[in-house]
Amino acid sequence: MKVALGADHGGFELKEAIKAHLTEKGYEIVDFGTDSTESVDYAVFGEKVGEYVVKEGILGILCCGTGIGISLAANKVNGVRAACCSDYFSAKMTRAHNNANILALGGRVVGIGLGLELVDIFLSTEFEGGRHQRRIDQITAIENKQK
C-alpha cells in the first residue's frame, strides 16, 4: 500500500518516525517533506499531499505542530477529507464513518508512541459505507458547489 506523508517543521520528527514505522511494515512511502526542523509553511505541504492523495486515490498522513493548520490547508483541495485526531476512537471512526483520506497529527500534541498507534488504526480501518456513504455524498455536494 502506498501512503503519502507531509509535515512542516513542527511535525517533522513525528513524520520521520511514521515514515520509518511504515517502511518497516512494508508500506511504500511518498514523502513530500519537509526535511528538517527549519521553519516552513504548513499550507504548502497540506496542499501537496492533498493533491497527490486525490489524484492517486490513496491515503495520506500530515503532521504539523497541532495537526490543525495542515489539515485545514489539505481540506481546501477538492476531494480531501482530512481529519485531525489525537485519540484512538476518532482515528478509527474518521475512516469507518467519514471515509477520511488524510490523517492529521500534531507533533506537539501526540507523542511518537501514540502517533504510531493512530496511524496504524487509521490505515487498517475500512470505510463502512451504507448510511455513511449518503453523508459523504452530501459533503461532496457541498464541495462541488464551491467550484
Side-chain angles (χ1 to χ4, degrees), residues 1-6 15 19 23 27-33 48-49 52 56 58-61:
M1 173 188 235
K2 188 188 299 186
V3 177
L5 298 181
K15 176 188 70 87
K19 182 165 64 172
T23 298
Y27 286 87
E28 179 184 346
I29 303 302
V30 182
D31 186 349
F32 287 89
K48 285 180 183 181
V49 169
Y52 191 78
E56 297 294 318
I58 64 170
L59 298 177
I61 301 166

Side-chain angles (χ1 to χ4, degrees), residues 46 70-84 101-102 143:
I70 205 162
S71 68
L72 292 173
N75 276 317
K76 296 301 179 182
V77 176
N78 283 340
V80 168
R81 288 177 307 283
C84 181
N101 50 11
I102 296 178
E143 183 178 65

Side-chain angles (χ1 to χ4, degrees), residues 32-53:
F32 287 89
T34 192
D35 298 320
S36 75
T37 56
E38 184 176 327
S39 184
V40 293
D41 298 324
Y42 58 76
V44 171
F45 302 96
E47 180 181 23
K48 285 180 183 181
V49 169
E51 288 177 345
Y52 191 78
V53 162

Side-chain angles (χ1 to χ4, degrees), residues 104-117:
L105 300 170
R108 297 175 183 145
V109 177
V110 300
I112 288 175
L114 177 57
L116 298 180
E117 288 181 30

